[in-house]
Amino acid sequence: MSKTILVIAAHPDDEILGCGGAMARHSAEGDKVYTLIMGEGIAARDGISLEDRNEAQEKLLRSAIQANKTVGASLLEFQKLADNRMDQLCLLDIVKLIEAQIELYKPTVIYTHYPQDLNIDHRLTSQAVITACRPLPGFCVKEILFFEVISSTEWQLAGVDPFAPNYFVDISNFLELKLEALKAYESEMRSWPHARSLENVAHLAHFRGASLGLNAAESFMLGRGVR
Ligand SMILES: [Zn+2]
C-alpha cells in the first residue's frame, strides 16, 4: 500500500543530504513524498545587499524545486523562517506551521533532523517536529526518523549523544539520483575535501552501506515507530 512521506528540513539541501536516496526510493515504490523546508538558507551569510539576497533566494528556490523533482518529491512552500535565527522565533510558532502541514497531508512517515545536531536550526526543527508529533489518539504519523546532514551532524563535539544509526535504507540503486539532485544545489556544495562535497556524500553512502554489506545506504535513528 502506498504511503505518504513528509520530509521536514531546516534549509534547502538538508532534505537531499539527509534522505535524498530514501526519498527517491519511496517515490520509485509508489509512495507520495512531500518536502517541507523551514528556513530560507540565505540570511546567515553576511555582507550581501537585499537585492542580491532576493536573487540568491530565487535561485535557491529553483534549485530546491529541481532537486526535489529529481528524487520524485513535491516541494511544499518555503516557510522562510530566518536562517540561523530560528532560535529567536517562538518554538510554538514553528510547531504550529508543522502541525498544519501534518494535518493537511496526513503522512505516516516523517524524516527530519537529529535532535542533537550541531546546527541550531536543525536542532530547533527537530524539536518542533517532535512536539508537533505528540501521539494523540488517531494520530497519523507512525514512524519518525532522524537523518544525518553531512558537514553538520558529524561536526558536533563530545558532550552530547553522538549520532548512532539504528535504521538503514538501501540506496544502492538511488545514490546516483541523490548525487544528481545535489548537483541542482550547486551553490550549496563545496569542492573535495570539504565535508559537504559530492565525493564525501558518496563516501558516506558507501560507508553506511558497507557497514551492512550493501553498496550504498542512508542511515537514520528511529525516533519513534508504531505498528
Ligand atoms: Zn541545514
Side-chain angles (χ1 to χ4, degrees), residues 91-92 95-96 98-99 102 110 127-141 144 224:
L91 182 68
L92 189 62
V95 171
K96 280 182 180 162
I98 294 170
E99 280 176 345
I102 292 174
I110 287 185
Q127 188 59 56
V129 170
I130 293 166
T131 308
C133 288
R134 299 181 303 288
L136 300 172
F139 188 58
C140 56
V141 179
I144 303 170
R224 182 167 60 230

PDB file of all heavy atoms in Angstrom, residues 91-92 95-96 98-99 102 110 127-141 144 224:
ATOM      1  N   LEU A  91       9.121  28.794  19.601  1.00  0.00           N
ATOM      2  CA  LEU A  91       9.057  27.399  19.162  1.00  0.00           C
ATOM      3  C   LEU A  91       7.616  27.017  18.792  1.00  0.00           C
ATOM      4  O   LEU A  91       7.388  26.307  17.819  1.00  0.00           O
ATOM      5  CB  LEU A  91       9.603  26.467  20.262  1.00  0.00           C
ATOM      6  CG  LEU A  91       9.637  24.984  19.901  1.00  0.00           C
ATOM      7  CD1 LEU A  91      10.650  24.680  18.803  1.00  0.00           C
ATOM      8  CD2 LEU A  91       9.931  24.114  21.119  1.00  0.00           C
ATOM      9  N   LEU A  92       6.681  27.554  19.548  1.00  0.00           N
ATOM     10  CA  LEU A  92       5.273  27.224  19.304  1.00  0.00           C
ATOM     11  C   LEU A  92       4.830  27.632  17.894  1.00  0.00           C
ATOM     12  O   LEU A  92       4.039  26.929  17.252  1.00  0.00           O
ATOM     13  CB  LEU A  92       4.392  27.918  20.369  1.00  0.00           C
ATOM     14  CG  LEU A  92       2.928  27.491  20.380  1.00  0.00           C
ATOM     15  CD1 LEU A  92       2.790  26.005  20.699  1.00  0.00           C
ATOM     16  CD2 LEU A  92       2.140  28.326  21.376  1.00  0.00           C
ATOM     17  N   VAL A  95       6.131  25.023  15.596  1.00  0.00           N
ATOM     18  CA  VAL A  95       5.326  23.811  15.808  1.00  0.00           C
ATOM     19  C   VAL A  95       4.000  23.928  15.059  1.00  0.00           C
ATOM     20  O   VAL A  95       3.575  22.991  14.377  1.00  0.00           O
ATOM     21  CB  VAL A  95       5.072  23.590  17.321  1.00  0.00           C
ATOM     22  CG1 VAL A  95       4.068  22.467  17.544  1.00  0.00           C
ATOM     23  CG2 VAL A  95       6.374  23.274  18.046  1.00  0.00           C
ATOM     24  N   LYS A  96       3.376  25.100  15.155  1.00  0.00           N
ATOM     25  CA  LYS A  96       2.067  25.286  14.511  1.00  0.00           C
ATOM     26  C   LYS A  96       2.154  25.152  12.991  1.00  0.00           C
ATOM     27  O   LYS A  96       1.261  24.594  12.355  1.00  0.00           O
ATOM     28  CB  LYS A  96       1.481  26.648  14.885  1.00  0.00           C
ATOM     29  CG  LYS A  96       0.846  26.644  16.257  1.00  0.00           C
ATOM     30  CD  LYS A  96       0.234  27.994  16.552  1.00  0.00           C
ATOM     31  CE  LYS A  96      -0.396  27.997  17.931  1.00  0.00           C
ATOM     32  NZ  LYS A  96      -0.602  29.377  18.408  1.00  0.00           N
ATOM     33  N   ILE A  98       4.262  23.315  11.369  1.00  0.00           N
ATOM     34  CA  ILE A  98       4.430  21.891  11.066  1.00  0.00           C
ATOM     35  C   ILE A  98       3.120  21.133  11.286  1.00  0.00           C
ATOM     36  O   ILE A  98       2.709  20.313  10.457  1.00  0.00           O
ATOM     37  CB  ILE A  98       5.579  21.299  11.914  1.00  0.00           C
ATOM     38  CG1 ILE A  98       6.905  21.947  11.492  1.00  0.00           C
ATOM     39  CG2 ILE A  98       5.651  19.788  11.780  1.00  0.00           C
ATOM     40  CD1 ILE A  98       8.079  21.632  12.389  1.00  0.00           C
ATOM     41  N   GLU A  99       2.440  21.448  12.370  1.00  0.00           N
ATOM     42  CA  GLU A  99       1.157  20.781  12.661  1.00  0.00           C
ATOM     43  C   GLU A  99       0.164  20.980  11.513  1.00  0.00           C
ATOM     44  O   GLU A  99      -0.547  20.051  11.129  1.00  0.00           O
ATOM     45  CB  GLU A  99       0.552  21.343  13.953  1.00  0.00           C
ATOM     46  CG  GLU A  99       1.168  20.768  15.203  1.00  0.00           C
ATOM     47  CD  GLU A  99       0.631  21.391  16.489  1.00  0.00           C
ATOM     48  OE1 GLU A  99      -0.008  22.469  16.416  1.00  0.00           O
ATOM     49  OE2 GLU A  99       0.871  20.813  17.553  1.00  0.00           O
ATOM     50  N   ILE A 102       1.046  18.645   8.680  1.00  0.00           N
ATOM     51  CA  ILE A 102       0.733  17.250   9.031  1.00  0.00           C
ATOM     52  C   ILE A 102      -0.776  17.024   8.909  1.00  0.00           C
ATOM     53  O   ILE A 102      -1.237  16.021   8.364  1.00  0.00           O
ATOM     54  CB  ILE A 102       1.232  16.908  10.457  1.00  0.00           C
ATOM     55  CG1 ILE A 102       2.771  16.893  10.485  1.00  0.00           C
ATOM     56  CG2 ILE A 102       0.686  15.556  10.921  1.00  0.00           C
ATOM     57  CD1 ILE A 102       3.381  16.713  11.861  1.00  0.00           C
ATOM     58  N   ILE A 110       7.698  10.418   8.862  1.00  0.00           N
ATOM     59  CA  ILE A 110       8.349  11.726   8.806  1.00  0.00           C
ATOM     60  C   ILE A 110       9.857  11.542   8.944  1.00  0.00           C
ATOM     61  O   ILE A 110      10.327  10.809   9.817  1.00  0.00           O
ATOM     62  CB  ILE A 110       7.829  12.667   9.920  1.00  0.00           C
ATOM     63  CG1 ILE A 110       6.406  13.132   9.574  1.00  0.00           C
ATOM     64  CG2 ILE A 110       8.741  13.884  10.094  1.00  0.00           C
ATOM     65  CD1 ILE A 110       5.833  14.159  10.528  1.00  0.00           C
ATOM     66  N   GLN A 127      13.182  19.563  17.226  1.00  0.00           N
ATOM     67  CA  GLN A 127      12.375  19.746  18.439  1.00  0.00           C
ATOM     68  C   GLN A 127      10.920  20.077  18.082  1.00  0.00           C
ATOM     69  O   GLN A 127       9.984  19.553  18.678  1.00  0.00           O
ATOM     70  CB  GLN A 127      12.990  20.879  19.278  1.00  0.00           C
ATOM     71  CG  GLN A 127      12.376  21.044  20.649  1.00  0.00           C
ATOM     72  CD  GLN A 127      12.494  19.781  21.489  1.00  0.00           C
ATOM     73  OE1 GLN A 127      13.594  19.283  21.682  1.00  0.00           O
ATOM     74  NE2 GLN A 127      11.388  19.240  21.948  1.00  0.00           N
ATOM     75  N   ALA A 128      10.766  20.953  17.078  1.00  0.00           N
ATOM     76  CA  ALA A 128       9.422  21.356  16.667  1.00  0.00           C
ATOM     77  C   ALA A 128       8.653  20.165  16.082  1.00  0.00           C
ATOM     78  O   ALA A 128       7.453  20.004  16.331  1.00  0.00           O
ATOM     79  CB  ALA A 128       9.496  22.499  15.656  1.00  0.00           C
ATOM     80  N   VAL A 129       9.354  19.333  15.308  1.00  0.00           N
ATOM     81  CA  VAL A 129       8.697  18.151  14.723  1.00  0.00           C
ATOM     82  C   VAL A 129       8.253  17.197  15.831  1.00  0.00           C
ATOM     83  O   VAL A 129       7.116  16.707  15.829  1.00  0.00           O
ATOM     84  CB  VAL A 129       9.640  17.423  13.733  1.00  0.00           C
ATOM     85  CG1 VAL A 129       9.057  16.079  13.317  1.00  0.00           C
ATOM     86  CG2 VAL A 129       9.898  18.287  12.503  1.00  0.00           C
ATOM     87  N   ILE A 130       9.142  16.963  16.787  1.00  0.00           N
ATOM     88  CA  ILE A 130       8.818  16.038  17.884  1.00  0.00           C
ATOM     89  C   ILE A 130       7.597  16.561  18.649  1.00  0.00           C
ATOM     90  O   ILE A 130       6.681  15.802  18.992  1.00  0.00           O
ATOM     91  CB  ILE A 130      10.028  15.870  18.834  1.00  0.00           C
ATOM     92  CG1 ILE A 130      11.167  15.160  18.110  1.00  0.00           C
ATOM     93  CG2 ILE A 130       9.635  15.089  20.086  1.00  0.00           C
ATOM     94  CD1 ILE A 130      12.515  15.238  18.815  1.00  0.00           C
ATOM     95  N   THR A 131       7.567  17.868  18.859  1.00  0.00           N
ATOM     96  CA  THR A 131       6.434  18.465  19.578  1.00  0.00           C
ATOM     97  C   THR A 131       5.151  18.351  18.746  1.00  0.00           C
ATOM     98  O   THR A 131       4.085  18.012  19.264  1.00  0.00           O
ATOM     99  CB  THR A 131       6.718  19.947  19.906  1.00  0.00           C
ATOM    100  OG1 THR A 131       7.981  20.030  20.569  1.00  0.00           O
ATOM    101  CG2 THR A 131       5.644  20.536  20.793  1.00  0.00           C
ATOM    102  N   ALA A 132       5.285  18.609  17.442  1.00  0.00           N
ATOM    103  CA  ALA A 132       4.111  18.522  16.556  1.00  0.00           C
ATOM    104  C   ALA A 132       3.610  17.086  16.434  1.00  0.00           C
ATOM    105  O   ALA A 132       2.477  16.846  16.040  1.00  0.00           O
ATOM    106  CB  ALA A 132       4.451  19.087  15.178  1.00  0.00           C
ATOM    107  N   CYS A 133       4.477  16.119  16.754  1.00  0.00           N
ATOM    108  CA  CYS A 133       4.125  14.699  16.607  1.00  0.00           C
ATOM    109  C   CYS A 133       3.748  14.052  17.937  1.00  0.00           C
ATOM    110  O   CYS A 133       3.953  12.843  18.112  1.00  0.00           O
ATOM    111  CB  CYS A 133       5.272  13.937  15.948  1.00  0.00           C
ATOM    112  SG  CYS A 133       5.446  14.331  14.205  1.00  0.00           S
ATOM    113  N   ARG A 134       3.199  14.806  18.848  1.00  0.00           N
ATOM    114  CA  ARG A 134       2.690  14.201  20.084  1.00  0.00           C
ATOM    115  C   ARG A 134       1.640  13.154  19.698  1.00  0.00           C
ATOM    116  O   ARG A 134       0.718  13.460  18.934  1.00  0.00           O
ATOM    117  CB  ARG A 134       2.063  15.275  20.982  1.00  0.00           C
ATOM    118  CG  ARG A 134       3.042  16.343  21.393  1.00  0.00           C
ATOM    119  CD  ARG A 134       2.457  17.408  22.290  1.00  0.00           C
ATOM    120  NE  ARG A 134       1.306  18.144  21.789  1.00  0.00           N
ATOM    121  CZ  ARG A 134       1.323  19.064  20.811  1.00  0.00           C
ATOM    122  NH1 ARG A 134       2.461  19.339  20.192  1.00  0.00           N
ATOM    123  NH2 ARG A 134       0.233  19.690  20.446  1.00  0.00           N
ATOM    124  N   PRO A 135       1.806  11.929  20.204  1.00  0.00           N
ATOM    125  CA  PRO A 135       0.929  10.836  19.718  1.00  0.00           C
ATOM    126  C   PRO A 135      -0.449  10.831  20.370  1.00  0.00           C
ATOM    127  O   PRO A 135      -0.763   9.974  21.180  1.00  0.00           O
ATOM    128  CB  PRO A 135       1.744   9.586  20.077  1.00  0.00           C
ATOM    129  CG  PRO A 135       2.563   9.996  21.255  1.00  0.00           C
ATOM    130  CD  PRO A 135       2.836  11.466  21.144  1.00  0.00           C
ATOM    131  N   LEU A 136      -1.268  11.778  19.967  1.00  0.00           N
ATOM    132  CA  LEU A 136      -2.635  11.835  20.475  1.00  0.00           C
ATOM    133  C   LEU A 136      -3.460  10.736  19.792  1.00  0.00           C
ATOM    134  O   LEU A 136      -3.049  10.214  18.750  1.00  0.00           O
ATOM    135  CB  LEU A 136      -3.226  13.220  20.180  1.00  0.00           C
ATOM    136  CG  LEU A 136      -2.444  14.386  20.814  1.00  0.00           C
ATOM    137  CD1 LEU A 136      -2.966  15.729  20.317  1.00  0.00           C
ATOM    138  CD2 LEU A 136      -2.515  14.309  22.331  1.00  0.00           C
ATOM    139  N   PRO A 137      -4.612  10.366  20.358  1.00  0.00           N
ATOM    140  CA  PRO A 137      -5.420   9.303  19.739  1.00  0.00           C
ATOM    141  C   PRO A 137      -5.707   9.600  18.263  1.00  0.00           C
ATOM    142  O   PRO A 137      -6.054  10.725  17.902  1.00  0.00           O
ATOM    143  CB  PRO A 137      -6.720   9.335  20.562  1.00  0.00           C
ATOM    144  CG  PRO A 137      -6.291   9.861  21.894  1.00  0.00           C
ATOM    145  CD  PRO A 137      -5.199  10.858  21.612  1.00  0.00           C
ATOM    146  N   GLY A 138      -5.507   8.597  17.423  1.00  0.00           N
ATOM    147  CA  GLY A 138      -5.800   8.737  15.998  1.00  0.00           C
ATOM    148  C   GLY A 138      -4.717   9.449  15.204  1.00  0.00           C
ATOM    149  O   GLY A 138      -4.895   9.723  14.016  1.00  0.00           O
ATOM    150  N   PHE A 139      -3.557   9.724  15.816  1.00  0.00           N
ATOM    151  CA  PHE A 139      -2.509  10.468  15.115  1.00  0.00           C
ATOM    152  C   PHE A 139      -1.940   9.653  13.957  1.00  0.00           C
ATOM    153  O   PHE A 139      -1.686   8.455  14.079  1.00  0.00           O
ATOM    154  CB  PHE A 139      -1.394  10.841  16.110  1.00  0.00           C
ATOM    155  CG  PHE A 139      -0.370  11.771  15.537  1.00  0.00           C
ATOM    156  CD1 PHE A 139      -0.737  13.003  15.024  1.00  0.00           C
ATOM    157  CD2 PHE A 139       0.970  11.415  15.509  1.00  0.00           C
ATOM    158  CE1 PHE A 139       0.213  13.867  14.495  1.00  0.00           C
ATOM    159  CE2 PHE A 139       1.924  12.277  14.990  1.00  0.00           C
ATOM    160  CZ  PHE A 139       1.540  13.500  14.475  1.00  0.00           C
ATOM    161  N   CYS A 140      -1.750  10.332  12.819  1.00  0.00           N
ATOM    162  CA  CYS A 140      -1.400   9.616  11.580  1.00  0.00           C
ATOM    163  C   CYS A 140       0.059   9.141  11.512  1.00  0.00           C
ATOM    164  O   CYS A 140       0.363   8.127  10.873  1.00  0.00           O
ATOM    165  CB  CYS A 140      -1.684  10.515  10.371  1.00  0.00           C
ATOM    166  SG  CYS A 140      -0.839  12.123  10.431  1.00  0.00           S
ATOM    167  N   VAL A 141       1.001   9.865  12.125  1.00  0.00           N
ATOM    168  CA  VAL A 141       2.437   9.561  11.937  1.00  0.00           C
ATOM    169  C   VAL A 141       2.838   8.334  12.748  1.00  0.00           C
ATOM    170  O   VAL A 141       2.700   8.321  13.969  1.00  0.00           O
ATOM    171  CB  VAL A 141       3.308  10.770  12.333  1.00  0.00           C
ATOM    172  CG1 VAL A 141       4.790  10.436  12.150  1.00  0.00           C
ATOM    173  CG2 VAL A 141       2.940  12.000  11.501  1.00  0.00           C
ATOM    174  N   ILE A 144       8.979   8.118  12.940  1.00  0.00           N
ATOM    175  CA  ILE A 144       9.768   9.351  12.862  1.00  0.00           C
ATOM    176  C   ILE A 144      11.235   8.950  12.795  1.00  0.00           C
ATOM    177  O   ILE A 144      11.741   8.236  13.677  1.00  0.00           O
ATOM    178  CB  ILE A 144       9.532  10.250  14.093  1.00  0.00           C
ATOM    179  CG1 ILE A 144       8.039  10.574  14.222  1.00  0.00           C
ATOM    180  CG2 ILE A 144      10.346  11.540  13.988  1.00  0.00           C
ATOM    181  CD1 ILE A 144       7.676  11.254  15.533  1.00  0.00           C
ATOM    182  N   ARG A 224      10.652   7.317  16.729  1.00  0.00           N
ATOM    183  CA  ARG A 224       9.517   6.531  17.238  1.00  0.00           C
ATOM    184  C   ARG A 224       8.962   5.685  16.101  1.00  0.00           C
ATOM    185  O   ARG A 224       8.859   6.149  14.972  1.00  0.00           O
ATOM    186  CB  ARG A 224       8.409   7.431  17.785  1.00  0.00           C
ATOM    187  CG  ARG A 224       7.229   6.629  18.358  1.00  0.00           C
ATOM    188  CD  ARG A 224       6.254   7.458  19.197  1.00  0.00           C
ATOM    189  NE  ARG A 224       5.657   8.519  18.440  1.00  0.00           N
ATOM    190  CZ  ARG A 224       5.617   9.795  18.837  1.00  0.00           C
ATOM    191  NH1 ARG A 224       6.178  10.160  19.969  1.00  0.00           N
ATOM    192  NH2 ARG A 224       5.069  10.712  18.077  1.00  0.00           N
TER     193      ARG A 224
END
